[in-house]
Amino acid sequence: MTPGRLPGDPATVSRMVRVDHAGEYGAARIYAGQLAVLGGGAQGPLLRHMAAQEQRHLETFNTMAGERRVRPSALLPLWHLAGFTLGAVTAALGERAAMACTVAVEEAIDAHYTRQIDALPESETGLRATLTAFRAEEREHRDSALANGAERAPGYRLLIGAIKAGCRVAIAVSERI
Ligand SMILES: [Fe+2]
Ligand SMILES: [Fe+2]
C-alpha cells in the first residue's frame, strides 16, 4: 500500500477494482489463447468451463468499474496481446504446460485476492463477497489443472516460477497504470 493511505481510502479501493478488472481481462485472454490451440482436444471442455468463469469475473468487474467510475487500466491492449500469447504459447508446448500455466496464474491471483480481502475496509461487504467467491473459483481452476497433469509438464518449476513472476509484475503495474 502507498504510505499515508488508509485501507478505506477510495483511491485504494479504486486501484483494487482497476487491477482486478485488468487481471480478469488478462485471464480471459489466456484461456482464449489456450482454446485457440487446444480447444478441439481432450482438455477443450475443461478450458471452456474455466474460460466461461473468467468471462463472468471480467463482466462483474466491468460493471463495477462503471458504477464506481474507476478508470480501466491503460495497459489493457498490452494484456490483450500478452494474455493470449501466454495462453497460446504454453498450449503449444502441450496440454500439461497449459495446465502448469493455469497453476501459476491462479496461484498468483489467489494470493492477490487474499491480500485484497485482508486490506478491504469493513464497509466493503459486497466487494469482499465478490472477491471471496471469485477466489474460490480461481482455486478450483488451480486444482483442476493439478488434477490434469500440470506438475508433469517439462520444466514445471521453471515454467511456473517465470509465469508467477510475470503475473506479479503485471499486478503491480496495473494497480497504477
Ligand atoms: Fe478469474
Ligand atoms: Fe481463474
Side-chain angles (χ1 to χ4, degrees):
M1 194 189 311
T2 308
R5 285 201 196 279
L6 298 170
D9 188 320
T12 302
V13 179
S14 290
R15 274 206 302 274
M16 288 185 183
V17 173
R18 178 178 304 118
V19 65
D20 293 352
H21 174 261
E24 297 295 353
Y25 183 88
R29 290 294 293 164
I30 291 169
Y31 286 108
Q34 293 190 345
L35 276 166
V37 179
L38 296 173
Q43 303 293 2
L46 173 62
L47 293 174
R48 273 186 286 280
H49 168 71
M50 296 194 287
Q53 288 182 319
E54 302 301 354
Q55 189 59 36
R56 195 166 44 72
H57 297 173
L58 173 58
E59 283 162 15
T60 301
F61 280 111
N62 245 332
T63 303
M64 202 185 296
E67 286 167 355
R68 292 172 181 255
R69 303 190 187 285
V70 172
R71 172 184 62 75
S73 169
L75 297 175
L76 290 185
L78 176 59
W79 306 142
H80 187 85
L81 185 65
F84 189 90
T85 303
L86 176 61
V89 167
T90 51
L93 292 173
E95 287 182 344
R96 289 169 181 169
M99 293 297 152
C101 171
T102 294
V103 170
V105 170
E106 302 296 5
E107 282 186 354
I109 295 181
D110 178 5
H112 167 72
Y113 278 155
T114 297
R115 270 194 306 277
Q116 285 195 338
I117 289 165
D118 291 345
L120 265 184
E122 285 295 316
S123 58
E124 291 281 358
T125 49
L127 182 52
R128 176 176 292 102
T130 298
L131 294 178
T132 304
F134 288 4
R135 182 179 61 176
E137 292 183 348
E138 313 298 11
R139 288 174 175 173
E140 267 176 42
H141 297 170
R142 175 205 58 203
D143 292 345
S144 298
L146 287 170
N148 282 276
E151 291 163 302
R152 295 198 303 277
Y156 175 71
R157 287 282 149 212
L158 199 65
L159 192 59
I160 70 161
I163 294 170
K164 279 171 118 170
C167 288
R168 284 194 289 267
V169 171
I171 288 168
V173 167
S174 300
E175 284 176 345
R176 291 164 182 81
I177 302 173

